Amino acid sequence: LNILVDTGSSNFAVAGVPDPDVTSYFNPELSSTYRSEGIEVTVKYSQGSWTGVLGTDVITMPKGLYGSYTINIATILESENFFLPGVKWHGILGLAYDALAKPSSSVETFFDSLVRQAKIPNIFSLQMCGAGLPVSGSGTNGGSLVLGGIEPSLYTGDIWYTPIKEEWYYQVEILKLEVGGQNLELDCREYNADKAIVDSGTTLLRLPEKVFSAVVQAIARTSLIQEFSSGFWTGSQLACWDRTEKPWSLFPKLSIYLRDENSSRSFRISILPQLYIQPILVIGDNLQCYRFGISSSTNALVIGATVMEGFYVIFDRAQRRVGFAVSPCAEVDGSPVSEIEGPFSTADVASNCVSSLSFHEPVLWIASYVLMSLCGIILLVLIVLLLIPPRCQHRYTDNDVVNDESSLVRHRWK
C-alpha cells in the first residue's frame, strides 16, 4: 500500500474495504496478526474525512530496523473526499504528536510505538522531491522518510533549527515574510494566527487571510506581469504559457523568517518561483499551464509541500525543534530553487510572535469556566429568590408564562 506521510495528523490508517478510488486495500480478515479494538474512530482533515475501526497489527521495516513491532492501525470503512480520483495512495501515516490522535490522545502513534519498542532515537526526517515537476505526475518523484535519525546524503550545507512552540502539530514561530527581498511589514503575530505549523500532508503554502492578501499584492507588484486574473491567485484559474517559455523568471523569491534556537537570532528559508508556480496541465502541443501554489487559510499558516519540497526537514522531537537544510533534489534545470541564510538579528521583531493563548484545548477550558460561572450566578439568583419571603414575590400574570414563543427559548444557547 502507498501511504501518505502526514506530519499534520497522528493516526495511522489504511483502506479497509474496496473503494472506487483506491487500487488496493487491507483486508483484516485475511490477517493472522490483526486484532480489532472494536472502537470507532473518525478523523477530519482540512479536506476530507474518514471513519473506521481501531485495531493493532504487526509491522516490519524493510531496511534498518530488524524485528516486528505492534502498532495501532485504523481500517477505513467509510470516507468523504479523502480518497480522490487519480490519487496513488491507499492510507495515511500521521506523524504528529499524540495530542492530535483520535479518538483520544491515549492512542499511541505509529512513531511513538517505534521509539518505545525499537529503542530508536525520537527523531525523524523527511525529504520530499518534486520541485518543478508536473503536479499530476507519476507520483514517483523520489524522496525519503528516515526514522530515528538524519541521513547526511540528503542535504547540503548546514541544518538550521527552530524551536517547536507546542507539541501537537509541529508548531513553530514565524517572524516575518519577504517577497522579492521586501518585508511585508505586518505585525509578526499575523503570521502565527492562530498557529504556524510544518505539515507535509498539506499540498500548498497556506497563509492567514491578511498575510495572503499582502503576499499576493507584493507578488503582483514585483512581478513582470502587468495584468493578472484574480482567479489565478484564488486557485480557480490556471495561467498558461508557450512550452518554450519558462514563466518563473517573471516572479519574485519568497522568504520566511523563523526564530533560531538562540531566540535573539533568526534564519530565513527561501523558495524560488519554481516551487510556488507549479506546472499542472499541458494543453495541445504548445501550452503549459501553471497553478499558484499558495492559498489562504482561516486558522493557520501552514508550511506545506510547496515549501517542504525545497528542503530536508528534521523533526527532532527529542530536542523539541524542527530543522531545515537545503535538499539536493530541489533543483530545476540544474539550478537550486531553495535557499537558507542566516543568522539575522531579531532586534526589530517582538520577543514573542505567538499568542500566549493556545487556540485548541484551552479554548474549551475557557468556555467551560465561563459556563460554570454563568451556572453559578444563576444558582445564586435562584437561592436568593427562594430565601425571599413569599409576600415579596412577584405575582405572575399570563404574560409572564414561559412558552415556546418566549425569547427565553427562542434565544437559548445551543
Side-chain angles (χ1 to χ4, degrees), residues 175 259 263-266 344-351:
L175 305 186
R259 194 179 295 278
S263 62
S264 65
R265 305 191 315 178
S266 68
F344 302 100
S345 169
T346 59
D348 60 336
V349 181
S351 59

Side-chain angles (χ1 to χ4, degrees), residues 20 53 85 151 157 178 182 194 218 221 233 243 270 272 295 308 334 368 402:
V53 175
E151 172 51 54
E178 288 179 349
Q182 297 298 308
D194 56 0
R221 189 170 58 248
W233 306 118
R243 293 185 72 178
S270 300
L272 274 61
S295 67
M308 291 181 70
S368 300
V402 176

Side-chain angles (χ1 to χ4, degrees), residues 149-164:
I150 299 170
E151 172 51 54
S153 66
L154 299 182
Y155 70 95
T156 59
D158 296 327
I159 300 173
W160 291 82
Y161 287 99
T162 186
I164 293 172

Side-chain angles (χ1 to χ4, degrees), residues 160-177 187-198 208 255-269 301-303 320-324 346-356:
W160 291 82
Y161 287 99
T162 186
I164 293 172
K165 298 296 289 184
E166 190 170 347
E167 296 168 307
W168 55 321
Y169 296 96
Y170 292 98
Q171 182 179 352
V172 295
E173 183 181 11
I174 293 175
L175 305 186
K176 61 181 177 179
L177 261 65
D187 185 318
C188 68
R189 285 170 293 194
E190 298 285 356
Y191 304 122
N192 300 278
D194 56 0
K195 57 188 173 289
I197 63 174
V198 183
S255 300
I256 300 171
Y257 284 73
L258 293 153
R259 194 179 295 278
D260 187 72
E261 287 187 289
N262 176 343
S263 62
S264 65
R265 305 191 315 178
S266 68
F267 63 94
R268 72 177 174 219
I269 59 175
L301 187 152
V302 184
I303 297 176
R320 197 169 164 159
R321 60 186 186 172
V322 175
F324 292 85
T346 59
D348 60 336
V349 181
S351 59
N352 181 22
C353 297
V354 178
S355 172
S356 57

Side-chain angles (χ1 to χ4, degrees), residues 17 19 49-52 75-80:
V17 293
D19 185 283
S49 63
W50 56 260
T51 297
T75 49
I76 298 172
L77 305 180
E78 298 175 18
S79 64
E80 185 175 346

Side-chain angles (χ1 to χ4, degrees), residues 48-126:
S49 63
W50 56 260
T51 297
V53 175
L54 277 181
T56 62
D57 206 345
V58 174
I59 60 154
T60 57
M61 290 286 167
K63 184 179 180 181
L65 290 177
Y66 302 105
S68 298
Y69 309 101
T70 301
I71 48 88
N72 290 305
I73 181 171
T75 49
I76 298 172
L77 305 180
E78 298 175 18
S79 64
E80 185 175 346
N81 295 325
F82 182 71
F83 298 116
L84 301 173
V87 300
K88 302 290 194 298
W89 42 275
H90 315 102
I92 188 166
L93 174 58
L95 290 173
Y97 290 96
D98 57 11
L100 298 182
K102 307 297 181 185
S104 75
S105 59
S106 63
V107 177
E108 188 174 57
T109 66
F110 179 97
F111 190 64
D112 281 336
S113 295
L114 274 189
V115 170
R116 179 174 57 82
Q117 296 175 53
K119 304 293 190 280
I120 61 172
N122 193 10
I123 177 175
F124 68 89
S125 48
L126 191 57

